[in-house]
């Protein structure tokens, strides 16, 4: 049987094949013809079509805020993505799905239905905070609590746990997508320039920063809200600081809530060892410094923040012992 870990993210799907490594990272996006349901494009190619298609087509992200909203399209998309990385195997596919912390029974059933559409024969689940830690090679044990946060596009999972189980955790609907929407509103209100979702995301990812002394800027193209004509403008890190920081502050607020729920001994241990972060949004300039200062503990971010969860997932998928301990 082919063993995979699959992180069906709100924005990006990552796939790890045991024995090989990360084999795919593409937008969780599919473009279909509305009337016939025929697939026009999927993955990164479909995302590039966003906002540019004519009436008969639609570009869909089947997950919204970390939850599967359109099972049928999620399944068909996953099927297309799997075909890119594994040739049909007689022995079938066993997949470990990386899921948000506290994922309900109903949400897990949605994953099972999506997996069935995609032709996956056996499914396991692991909650993302465990995978953040494993992706950064943090040694896990029954007695050593770890505090980890996954900040994705649609949601943020925060948890303290040991190999013995979850101690406290939550998932909130805050992530990079909310920052993008806030940037769109902010640029329209402040500069009278209407920009698209892809432009806002690119702006966040290139000049977005939590450092108050960051002076990068980028030219963006959009539509002048007064005249309706195409227009461009230079937007700086300082311009997008506020729409980004309000959501990072929300994440910190909820991380503090989780910390407050911890028994004293656990709290003391995690404050000493620090917090492990992963997810694409942690690539923001100054992220580690900002959260570490606010939470008053060291913030560890791996080399490739966006890949840590799937790397952790790959480790679990390839280890019978970890599957027994972590997969539920
Ligand atoms: N350099 C960067 N600076 C800021 N944000 C970034 C950067 N690179 C990627 N991102 C953002 O990270 C998010 C994608 O990260 P990730 O792949 O971890 O999310 P996901 O797994 O798809 O979503 P979720 O876990 O919420 O379902 C997007 O919002 C993307 O714009
Ligand atoms: Mg994710």
């Amino acid at each position: 049987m082919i063993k995979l870990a699959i992180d069906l993210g709100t924005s990006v799907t990552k796939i790890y094949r045991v024995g090989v490594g990360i084999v795919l990272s593409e937008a969780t996006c599919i473009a279909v013809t509305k009337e016939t349901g025929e697939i026009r494009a999927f993955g990164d190619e479909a995302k590039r079509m966003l906002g540019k298609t004519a009436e008969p087509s639609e570009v869909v992200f089947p997950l919204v805020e970390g939850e599967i909203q359109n099972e049928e399209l999620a399944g068909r998309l996953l099927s297309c993505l799997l075909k890119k990385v594994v040739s049909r195997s007689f022995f079938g596919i066993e997949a470990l799905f990386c899921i948000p912390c506290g994922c309900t029974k109903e949400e897990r059933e949605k994953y099972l239905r999506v997996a069935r559409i995609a032709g996956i024969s056996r499914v396991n689940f692991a909650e993302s905070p465990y995978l953040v830690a494993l992706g950064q090679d943090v040694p896990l044990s029954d007695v050593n609590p770890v505090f980890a946060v996954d900040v994705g596009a649609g949601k943020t999972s925060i948890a303290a746990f040991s190999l013995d189980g979850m101690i406290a955790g939550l998932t909130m609907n805050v992530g990079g997508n909310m920052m993008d929407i806030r940037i769109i509103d902010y640029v329209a209100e402040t500069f009278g320039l209407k920009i698209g979702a892809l432009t806002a995301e690119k702006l966040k990812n290139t000049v977005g920063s939590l450092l108050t002394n960051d002076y990068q800027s980028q030219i963006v193209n959009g539509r002048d809200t007064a005249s309706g004509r195409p227009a461009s403008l230079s937007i700086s890190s300082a311009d997008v600081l506020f729409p980004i920081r309000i959501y990072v502050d929300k994440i910190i607020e909820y991380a503090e809530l989780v910390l407050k729920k911890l028994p004293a001994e656990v709290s003391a241990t995690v404050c000493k060892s620090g917090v492990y972060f992963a997810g694409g949004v942690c690539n923001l300039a100054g992220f580690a410094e900002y959260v570490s200062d606010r939470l008053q503990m060291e913030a560890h971010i791996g080399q490739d923040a966006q890949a840590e969860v799937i790397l952790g997932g790959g480790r679990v998928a390839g280890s019978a012992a970890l599957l027994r301990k972590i997969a539920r």
Side-chain angles (χ1 to χ4, degrees), residues 150-314:
D150 171 21
V151 192
K155 50 107 196 79
T156 295
S157 282
I158 308 169
F161 55 87
S162 71
L163 256 196
D164 207 25
M166 212 38 101
I167 303 166
L170 58 84
T171 290
M172 58 196 287
N173 300 341
V174 170
N177 285 354
M178 277 198 182
M179 296 173 183
D180 300 344
I181 292 167
R182 194 74 176 218
I183 288 172
I184 293 173
D185 292 346
Y186 189 81
V187 171
E189 281 160 21
T190 317
F191 304 107
L193 186 75
K194 175 83 183 151
I195 59 171
L198 292 182
T199 305
E201 183 180 19
K202 195 163 162 228
L203 192 58
K204 168 185 93 247
N205 299 359
T206 48
V207 306
S209 170
L210 290 156
L211 305 168
T212 42
N213 60 352
D214 213 327
Y215 300 106
Q216 295 186 71
S217 62
Q218 200 194 324
I219 305 278
V220 295
N221 302 313
R223 183 165 44 81
D224 186 291
T225 50
S227 69
R229 291 183 58 80
S232 29
L233 199 68
S234 171
I235 307 272
S236 72
S237 301
D239 294 325
V240 292
L241 176 64
F242 172 74
I244 288 172
R245 198 172 56 192
I246 47 167
Y247 293 111
V248 177
D249 286 345
K250 271 222 152 20
I251 291 164
I252 291 166
E253 196 185 303
Y254 278 82
E256 279 169 340
L257 272 184
V258 173
L259 285 173
K260 279 186 194 148
K261 283 194 207 154
L262 301 179
E265 292 289 350
V266 175
S267 180
T269 312
V270 301
C271 283
K272 209 162 130 211
S273 45
V275 49
Y276 295 87
F277 272 97
V281 171
C282 304
N283 286 318
L284 281 168
F287 188 91
E289 297 87 323
Y290 187 79
V291 292
S292 158
D293 184 52
R294 294 286 312 276
L295 285 171
Q296 297 280 291
M297 64 173 78
E298 197 176 343
H300 310 272
I301 302 178
Q303 283 232 310
D304 183 355
Q306 202 167 353
E308 305 298 350
V309 168
I310 193 65
L311 287 174

Side-chain angles (χ1 to χ4, degrees), residues 1-3 88-94 119-122:
M1 193 166 287
I2 294 172
K3 289 186 179 175
R88 280 288 144 214
S89 156
F90 178 71
F91 301 105
I93 297 171
E94 175 176 350
I120 295 167
S121 1
R122 196 184 297 167

